[in-house]
């Protein structure tokens, strides 16, 4: 019975609106099964590419370009597990993997887009990344009807389409949260904050203990842009529409943006983040938390596999928990209005010389008992597909927490603010937000700069 109840909870959770569109933040979405009646008829181009590749014993080499360089933990491990299974089942296929960290990946992706893409690539179903890629015509159209029974969460494919045609598949349902060390909290008598003022007051206590309150990857820019998204949700009660309107009009004069930006700067000034946060990278921030030097780490649910990572001291990894952005005093957003979206995924090169095999591999990757199942069983956040069949009751406390967060969500943000506009908007925001947070640039000047980037 426990398994059944938990499975039902997860199924409910996975049907809460996990939308990718920047102007489509909603309170709830229809169950995935209802999507089947709305599947678009396959276009002529997609029809030519759909279906199983012809069985052949001829040697085939597939080149996969991935943004998951850690092949022993997390999503990189799961990706490699499926690759190993595929090559075992198809001994004529050799798969060559090139995997880079995200920023290096995106830089090299641009070069590949000009000179020829690997056969299967990681992508992001967000305007700042995908619009330019689709305009360049480097991705193969997929036959959406092929995925009618794959259990994708309703709306999760939307960010991977252009003009109604599908060009990629989502991997995750991402939720932004504060990871925290529960044992450290308990030992010091600290409580999970319910309000943003309580968070800042907690930071004072943690600093007084000689510990970093929140480890922040400020050097990359995008985590703080997501932090800004989180604050906008809590101040405004919603995110997508107000951001879309600002980008479309190149006007960020809506007071919600000024309040959110000033609150970010106030937080940094109050010592919420580590010294040098604005130039330190992902690994540095994460190490501060996993080494016990920081009490909290602001990052997405894709890092929930920390709870099973044996490279992390047992006393820390078994005590990792999570909470979402506290409510802002006077704000319209509830505790259950959260920053969540469908982001990364995979696509096939339009000019692949082994396109049929590449699509066959992609379809294998997304069979419900592959990427999605292994992800859940390895404690890696939530996929963009229904995972309820794989609930065992043995999940980590962190998995259960994220499930409860999504299950209890009254609204989700959709795509974070930095990925809602053109690529130049993303570049300006992620290069300027450090100065807006550390006081080098005042909030008004920052908002004018990102507005100008939309013109």
């Amino acid at each position: 019975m426990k398994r059944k109840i938990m499975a039902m909870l997860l199924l409910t959770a996975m049907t809460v609106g996990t939308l990718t569109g920047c102007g489509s933040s909603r309170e709830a979405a229809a169950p995935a099964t209802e999507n089947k009646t709305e599947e678009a008829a396959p276009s002529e181009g997609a029809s030519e590419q759909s279906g199983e590749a012809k069985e052949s014993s001829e040697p085939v080499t597939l080149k996969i370009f991935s943004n998951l360089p850690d092949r022993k933990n997390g999503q990189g491990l799961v990706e490699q597990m499926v690759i190993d299974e595929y090559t075992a089942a198809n001994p004529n296929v050799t798969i060559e993997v090139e995997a880079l960290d995200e920023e290096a990946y995106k830089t090299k992706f641009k070069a590949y887009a000009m000179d020829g893409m690997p056969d299967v690539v990681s992508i992001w179903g967000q305007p700042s990344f995908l619009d330019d890629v689709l305009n360049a015509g480097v991705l193969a159209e997929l036959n959406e009807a092929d995925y009618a029974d794959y259990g994708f969460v309703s709306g999760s494919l939307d960010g991977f389409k252009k003009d109604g045609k599908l060009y990629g598949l989502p991997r995750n349902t991402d939720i932004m949260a504060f990871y925290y060390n529960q044992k450290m909290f308990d030992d010091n008598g600290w409580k999970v904050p319910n309000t943003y003022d309580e968070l800042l007051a907690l930071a004072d206590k943690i600093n007084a203990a000689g510990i970093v309150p929140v480890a922040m990857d400020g050097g990359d820019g995008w985590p703080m842009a997501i932090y800004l998204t989180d604050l906008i949700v809590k101040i405004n009660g919603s995110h997508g529409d107000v951001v879309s309107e600002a980008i479309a009009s190149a006007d960020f004069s809506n007071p919600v943006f000024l309040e959110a930006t000033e609150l970010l700067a106030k937080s940094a000034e109050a010592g919420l983040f580590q010294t040098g946060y604005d130039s330190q990278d992902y690994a540095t921030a994460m190490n501060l938390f996993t080494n016990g030097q920081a009490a909290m780490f602001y990052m997405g649910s894709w890092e929930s596999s920390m709870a099973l990572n044996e490279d992390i001291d047992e006393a820390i990894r078994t005590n990792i928990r999570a909470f979402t952005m506290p409510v802002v005093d006077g704000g319209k957003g509830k505790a259950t209005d959260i920053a969540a979206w469908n982001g990364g995924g995979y696509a096939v090169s339009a000019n692949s010389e082994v396109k049929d095999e590449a699509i066959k591999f992609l379809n294998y990757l997304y069979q419900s008992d592959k990427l999605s199942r292994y992800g859940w069983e390895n404690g890696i956040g939530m996929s963009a597909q229904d995972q309820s069949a794989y609930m065992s009751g043995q999940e980590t406390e962190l998995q259960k927490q994220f499930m409860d967060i999504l299950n209890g969500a009254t609204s989700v943000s959709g795509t974070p603010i930095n990925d809602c506009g053109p690529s130049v908007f993303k570049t300006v925001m992620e290069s300027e937000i450090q100065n807006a947070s550390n006081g080098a640039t005042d909030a008004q000047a920052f908002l004018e700069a990102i507005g100008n980037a939309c013109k």
Side-chain angles (χ1 to χ4, degrees), residues 8 13 29 53 59 67 85 102 138 145 168 185 194 210 212 230 235 259 331 345 392 396 409 412 441 453:
M8 291 177 65
N67 69 319
E85 278 194 10
E102 186 162 312
V138 297
F185 269 50
N194 293 312
V212 172
D230 237 342
I235 293 169
E259 184 177 352
S392 67
T396 67
V412 296
T441 301

Side-chain angles (χ1 to χ4, degrees), residues 13 16-19 25-27 173-177 226-227 229-234 237-240 298 301 323-327 332-341 382 401-416:
V16 169
T18 48
L19 306 173
S25 178
R26 303 175 190 170
E27 292 187 352
T173 295
D174 296 323
I175 303 171
M176 210 64 186
I226 299 176
Y227 200 97
T229 294
D230 237 342
L231 292 176
I232 291 170
V233 169
K234 290 300 189 288
S238 63
H239 172 265
Y298 184 73
S301 53
F323 64 88
T324 54
M325 180 68 74
V327 296
K332 299 176 183 176
K334 299 184 289 291
T336 49
D337 296 328
I338 63 173
W341 64 95
M382 298 182 188
Q401 277 196 304
F402 275 116
M403 182 187 71
D404 289 343
I405 289 169
L406 188 59
N407 191 47
T410 48
S411 74
V412 296
S413 67
T415 302

Side-chain angles (χ1 to χ4, degrees), residues 362-384:
L362 187 76
N363 294 354
Y364 183 89
L365 184 68
Y366 279 93
Q367 288 179 10
S368 62
D369 62 343
K370 298 297 185 299
L371 194 68
S372 183
R373 174 185 177 181
Y374 295 152
W376 185 252
E377 291 179 348
N378 284 276
I380 304 167
M382 298 182 188
S383 82

Side-chain angles (χ1 to χ4, degrees), residues 244-267:
S244 291
E245 291 169 4
I247 290 173
S249 62
D251 179 4
F252 282 79
S253 61
N254 186 318
V256 67
F257 298 115
L258 183 63
E259 184 177 352
T261 306
E262 289 181 339
L263 190 52
L264 172 63
K266 176 183 175 183
S267 304

Side-chain angles (χ1 to χ4, degrees), residues 284-307:
T284 301
M286 188 170 175
N287 286 339
L288 284 173
F289 177 67
T290 56
N291 289 336
Q293 296 172 272
M296 294 174 274
F297 175 40
Y298 184 73
M299 193 48 65
S301 53
W302 55 84
E303 290 294 359
S304 60
S305 62
M306 286 189 295

